[in-house]
Amino acid sequence: MITSRVLLLLVFLLSATLSHGEGRRLEVLFLGDDGHHKPLERYRALKANLGTRGYNLSFIEDLSQITTKRLEPYDVVIVYANHEQEVVPASLLTWVRKGGGLVALHSACGCFRKSPEWIQTIGGRFESHEGHIFSPETIDKEHEITKALPSFEAWDETYEHQDLTQDRHVLQQRPPLNKGETEPEPWTWTREQGKGRVFYTASGHDMRVWGQAAYQELVARAIVWAAGDEVGKEFAELKLAPLE
């Protein structure tokens, strides 16, 4: 007769066998708001593309829900919003410092503008912009995020930044387009914050960019990189059944 203890042991062993070597999906929290950048629409566009590739995406816009407990299950937090509050949730900063991955897109550099901790984490702060059709130029063509990344051209807000940190690794730059510019503008970069990895790109004002396959691929790679090497390795081992 099989006792309940033996049965539980068999279930545990079977579960371990089935999960061994099969990898796992990435858990991603998308922090938006109800602002003019329409984060919920961008989230849906991203989820439609990445959901079938092993990325689990969830959406949130209420900052009061950004708690330590809420962040625990996630590998990466995407920020694409215009949160005007002066104070960034301390739980988010702590989560990044302890090893969480942060993918900051476009207007994220304008959130919490009076928070030096947030500006430091992102690596810079929004200053001003015009708008032009252009293609971001990849200057690090060997980084895992940008290696063999297809280029794209679209209208976008041509952000200028200020308070740039010196520890950023710049992946892409924007050509001089705004009035008075003579030098390229740092556009896409990575940095480390404690044990966490931070990715930022200024691209992404609306669907003219978000609808580009190359932009969604940039974000997809940034998520994997920000999650860290160990999680990235597990994700690479994920075997998904073909869609029918």
Side-chain angles (χ1 to χ4, degrees):
M1 174 182 255
I2 298 178
T3 66
S4 59
R5 180 176 296 180
V6 172
L7 182 59
L8 286 173
L9 179 60
L10 289 174
V11 170
F12 171 78
L13 292 174
L14 178 59
S15 299
T17 301
L18 291 175
S19 62
H20 178 69
E22 294 183 356
R24 71 173 180 88
R25 300 171 70 91
L26 288 173
E27 301 297 333
V28 184
L29 182 64
F30 191 115
L31 173 60
D33 62 6
D34 60 355
H36 73 280
H37 279 107
K38 301 180 180 179
L40 185 57
E41 291 186 15
R42 314 301 175 235
Y43 159 77
R44 287 169 175 162
L46 194 64
K47 187 168 184 174
N49 178 271
L50 301 187
T52 58
R53 296 170 54 183
Y55 297 72
N56 289 342
L57 280 86
S58 303
F59 184 83
I60 190 172
E61 59 183 38
D62 184 353
L63 290 177
S64 68
Q65 295 184 28
I66 303 296
T67 63
T68 300
K69 185 176 181 179
R70 182 64 185 269
L71 292 172
E72 281 179 1
Y74 294 101
D75 303 305
V76 173
V77 171
I78 295 175
V79 178
Y80 178 78
N82 289 91
H83 287 294
E84 300 293 339
Q85 290 86 340
E86 294 185 8
V87 179
V88 59
S91 55
L92 178 58
L93 297 177
T94 300
W95 179 81
V96 173
R97 286 196 302 269
K98 289 185 176 181
L102 178 63
V103 172
L105 305 177
H106 191 57
S107 55
C109 68
C111 293
F112 318 113
R113 296 192 66 186
K114 294 185 178 181
S115 169
E117 294 86 3
W118 180 249
I119 296 167
Q120 169 69 28
T121 298
I122 295 293
R125 180 160 61 100
F126 169 80
E127 181 175 19
S128 62
H129 73 79
E130 295 178 14
H132 295 275
I133 296 174
F134 68 97
S135 177
E137 176 192 0
T138 297
I139 58 176
D140 185 347
K141 298 182 179 181
E142 297 302 319
H143 194 279
E144 61 190 274
I145 295 176
T146 48
K147 188 173 185 178
L149 181 73
S151 62
F152 69 91
E153 183 178 77
W155 186 96
D156 206 348
E157 291 179 332
T158 49
Y159 274 20
E160 293 182 68
H161 305 88
Q162 57 185 335
D163 300 327
L164 293 170
T165 63
Q166 299 301 311
D167 59 352
R168 295 165 300 112
H169 179 71
V170 179
L171 303 178
Q172 293 180 319
Q173 62 186 14
R174 171 182 61 72
L177 295 169
N178 296 343
K179 294 177 182 178
E181 285 186 332
T182 58
E183 299 293 331
E185 179 74 11
W187 198 249
T188 302
W189 62 70
T190 62
R191 63 177 303 276
E192 295 183 1
Q193 183 71 10
K195 296 180 180 180
R197 290 180 171 185
V198 178
F199 167 90
Y200 167 79
T201 183
S203 289
H205 176 68
D206 59 25
M207 286 306 296
R208 283 171 285 188
V209 176
W210 281 82
Q212 300 275 345
Y215 179 71
Q216 295 199 15
E217 179 62 23
L218 173 69
V219 176
R221 294 184 186 186
I223 292 170
V224 176
W225 175 84
D229 293 338
E230 184 175 340
V231 174
K233 183 178 179 181
E234 291 182 83
F235 178 65
E237 294 174 350
L238 179 65
K239 305 299 180 184
L240 294 173
L243 290 176
E244 296 181 0

